[in-house]
């Protein structure tokens, strides 16, 4: 019994010293488990009491009960002490929080380069009397190919590798040219529209090619439209876009089944003087396909091809933006690279 009394006395001293350097609620819980838990010291003292004689139990029993109660109070006090200490620290911290000293990393938002360039393109064409049109990105085989004089199994389908959808005859449009037929069917002629929009091609990427990019389609249909109207329009547009009269372009024959004759317009590479990876060592950047609308396309749109003629063009919006802003890799457009975006 004397030994038990000694242990009871030491219990309190040990508990007090364990609580001395406690800094967190978790540490308090650890101390509670050690001393008052189900496998803790107090339980083993109570088991030891069972071996005592009845008269000794009468002495030790109340001592243990009192020890348990006072220990629980000690823990509760310590808990409370910690809570108010943490509150005080928080208040002190808030008191010394100087709002005017807080200088967050400063980033301004701005319009994405796509938005800027598309708005500029639209403004130029609106000033030339054109309407803005739109079309679906998930397109039918009919509008993307067949109505564009590219029947099924036509070899020209290989010119634009296609992402086919798991729906019969549906695909992600490979060019914006399908909008030509949609617009002629919808609005009839005479007609002058431009249609900027995203297109998709199942092809490898490099500095000037992406698998998803944006094109701007242009279509003008009226009586007596000729190649000179097309060339004058393309040149005026490019002069306005690049804000200079002496633009360096070249026009060469190009094959597209939906125009006859067809041409391609290239812009002299602004990134080099003797060939680089952007222009593929040609010194020219391919900008636009164009030509006089093929009679089959007018007929597929319900237009009398003997009375009306028209020109159409399609250019890469990233390509014109690359030239205008000196961006030497098309993949930067949707890379979300902050160091690129913040320059605009
Ligand atoms: C066409 O897509 C035709 N629909 C253009 C056209 C319209 C011709 C109307 C005649 C009449 P092409 O595949 O060449 O053509 O693409 C047109 C332009 O899109 C190119 O000149 C180039 O500026 C851009 N382009 C083509 N492929 C890519 C690509 N993978 N990544 C980025 N831009 C591209």
């Amino acid at each position: 019994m004397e030994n038990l009394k000694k242990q009871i006395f030491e219990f309190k001293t040990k508990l007090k010293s364990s609580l001395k350097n406690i800094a967190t609620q978790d540490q308090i819980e650890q101390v509670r488990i050690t001393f008052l838990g189900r496998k803790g010291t107090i339980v083993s003292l109570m088991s030891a009491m069972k071996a005592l004689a009845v008269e000794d139990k009468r002495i030790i029993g109340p001592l243990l009960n009192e020890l348990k109660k006072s220990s629980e109070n000690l823990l509760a006090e310590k808990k409370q002490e910690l809570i108010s200490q943490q509150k005080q620290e928080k208040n002190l911290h808030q008191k010394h929080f100087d709002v005017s000293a807080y200088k967050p990393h400063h980033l301004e938002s701005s319009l994405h380069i796509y938005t800027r360039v598309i708005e500029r393109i639209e403004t130029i064409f609106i000033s030339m009397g054109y309407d803005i049109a739109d079309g679906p990105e998930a397109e039918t085989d009919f509008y993307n190919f067949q109505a564009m004089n590219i029947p099924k199994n036509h070899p020209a389908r290989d010119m634009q590798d296609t992402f086919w959808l798991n729906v019969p005859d549906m695909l992600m449009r490979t060019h914006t040219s399908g909008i030509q037929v949609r617009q002629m069917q919808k609005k009839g002629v005479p007609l002058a529209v431009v249609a900027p929009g995203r297109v998709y091609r199942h092809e490898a990427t490099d500095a000037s090619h992406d698998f998803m990019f944006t094109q701007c389609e242009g279509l003008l249909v009226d009586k007596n439209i000729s190649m000179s109207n097309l060339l004058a329009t393309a040149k005026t547009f490019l002069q306005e876009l690049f804000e200079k009269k002496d633009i360096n372009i070249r026009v060469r024959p190009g094959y597209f089944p939906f125009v006859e004759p067809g041409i391609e317009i290239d812009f002299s590479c602004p990134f080099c003087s003797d060939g680089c990876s952007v222009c593929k060592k040609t010194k020219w950047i391919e900008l636009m396909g164009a030509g006089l609308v093929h009679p089959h396309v007018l007929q597929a749109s319900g237009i009398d091809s003997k009375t009306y003629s028209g020109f159409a063009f399609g250019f890469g919006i990233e390509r014109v933006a690359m030239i205008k802003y000196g961006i030497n890799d098309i993949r930067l457009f949707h890379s979300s690279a902050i160091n690129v975006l913040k320059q605009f």
Side-chain angles (χ1 to χ4, degrees):
M1 163 152 130
E2 283 315 309
N3 185 30
L4 214 49
K5 266 189 179 167
K6 193 172 159 229
Q7 285 185 53
I8 290 171
F9 177 74
E10 283 173 357
F11 181 101
K12 223 166 190 175
T13 325
K14 281 184 191 161
L15 177 63
K16 278 185 182 158
S17 86
S18 300
L19 287 175
K20 218 172 189 175
N21 296 319
I22 289 283
T24 66
Q25 300 289 352
D26 279 353
Q27 288 171 329
I28 294 186
E29 180 59 10
Q30 277 312 315
V31 174
R32 189 195 67 77
I33 292 168
T34 312
F35 287 87
L36 300 174
R38 273 171 41 219
K39 293 180 183 161
T41 320
I42 199 117
V43 174
S44 57
L45 290 175
M46 283 174 170
S47 314
M49 186 184 72
K50 285 178 195 157
L52 295 178
V54 184
E55 55 275 21
D56 290 343
K57 277 185 188 160
R58 282 205 193 105
I59 301 167
I60 296 295
L63 280 181
L64 277 176
N65 283 341
E66 198 282 321
L67 178 67
K68 191 165 179 256
K69 216 168 163 194
S70 61
S71 304
E72 282 168 353
N73 287 342
L74 263 178
L75 284 167
E77 275 167 25
K78 189 70 192 176
K79 250 187 188 172
Q80 205 45 53
E81 190 186 308
L82 260 187
I83 290 172
S84 43
Q85 197 177 320
Q86 279 162 355
K87 253 190 198 157
Q88 265 180 12
E89 276 167 16
K90 201 173 157 196
N91 285 345
L92 200 70
H93 178 72
Q94 281 177 346
K95 218 170 161 180
H96 289 102
F97 182 77
D98 179 359
V99 187
S100 65
Y102 179 61
K103 288 206 172 60
H105 180 54
H106 201 66
L107 258 189
E108 272 175 18
S109 61
S110 61
L111 292 179
H112 192 279
I113 184 117
Y114 275 127
T115 314
R116 273 169 184 257
V117 177
I118 290 173
E119 277 181 3
R120 182 74 196 121
I121 292 167
E122 289 180 349
T123 305
I124 295 169
F125 278 108
I126 287 170
S127 77
M128 291 164 87
Y130 283 70
D131 284 337
I132 309 298
D134 200 3
E137 288 181 28
E139 185 55 286
T140 61
D141 185 297
F142 176 78
Y143 285 109
N144 198 81
F145 289 130
Q146 293 172 47
M148 301 312 292
N149 203 25
I150 313 176
K152 291 201 169 176
N153 303 321
H154 192 289
R157 290 197 174 206
D158 287 348
M159 290 165 74
Q160 300 177 356
D161 287 335
T162 309
F163 285 112
W164 290 95
L165 296 173
N166 275 340
V167 178
D169 286 337
M170 288 293 289
L171 50 98
M172 296 310 290
R173 67 182 176 195
T174 55
H175 55 178
T176 42
S177 296
I179 298 174
Q180 290 182 28
V181 177
R182 287 184 176 278
Q183 284 292 304
M184 285 190 274
Q185 285 179 337
K186 193 171 160 190
K187 296 180 179 158
V189 288
L191 180 74
V193 287
V194 284
R198 203 175 285 152
V199 301
Y200 304 81
R201 292 200 190 165
H202 192 263
E203 58 181 63
T205 66
D206 60 32
S208 55
H209 291 82
D210 217 336
F211 62 91
M212 177 185 80
F213 58 100
T214 42
Q215 280 189 338
C216 181
E217 192 73 16
L219 173 70
L220 185 139
V221 184
D222 207 336
K223 288 177 182 158
N224 303 317
I225 297 301
S226 71
M227 206 64 173
S228 52
N229 298 120
L230 166 60
L231 292 173
T233 304
K235 197 171 169 198
T236 308
F237 161 66
L238 293 172
Q239 284 172 331
E240 284 298 312
L241 184 72
F242 296 118
E243 297 169 273
K244 55 179 183 182
K245 288 272 169 235
D246 59 335
I247 51 167
N248 198 3
I249 55 171
R250 75 171 181 187
V251 179
R252 59 191 165 87
Y255 171 69
F256 302 96
F258 33 94
V259 286
E260 182 55 41
I263 58 166
E264 291 200 54
I265 299 179
D266 303 331
F267 203 93
S268 85
C269 181
F271 303 106
C272 66
S273 53
D274 55 355
C276 66
S277 62
V278 185
C279 64
K280 305 239 170 48
K281 308 237 179 276
T282 63
K283 296 192 247 173
W284 294 96
I285 293 185
E286 184 194 309
L287 208 59
M288 159 179 323
L292 294 185
V293 182
H294 197 289
H296 288 174
V297 177
L298 293 172
Q299 286 151 21
S301 313
I303 307 298
D304 176 3
S305 60
K306 292 215 166 60
T307 312
Y308 287 96
S309 55
F311 65 73
F313 55 83
F315 60 87
I317 290 177
E318 289 84 355
R319 297 267 175 100
V320 293
M322 286 169 79
I323 294 166
K324 190 168 167 64
Y325 295 108
I327 301 167
N328 65 1
D329 195 321
I330 194 169
R331 291 162 293 198
L332 290 171
F333 281 85
H334 53 82
S335 69
S336 302
I338 294 290
N339 60 342
V340 176
L341 292 175
K342 72 182 179 192
Q343 294 176 41
F344 296 97

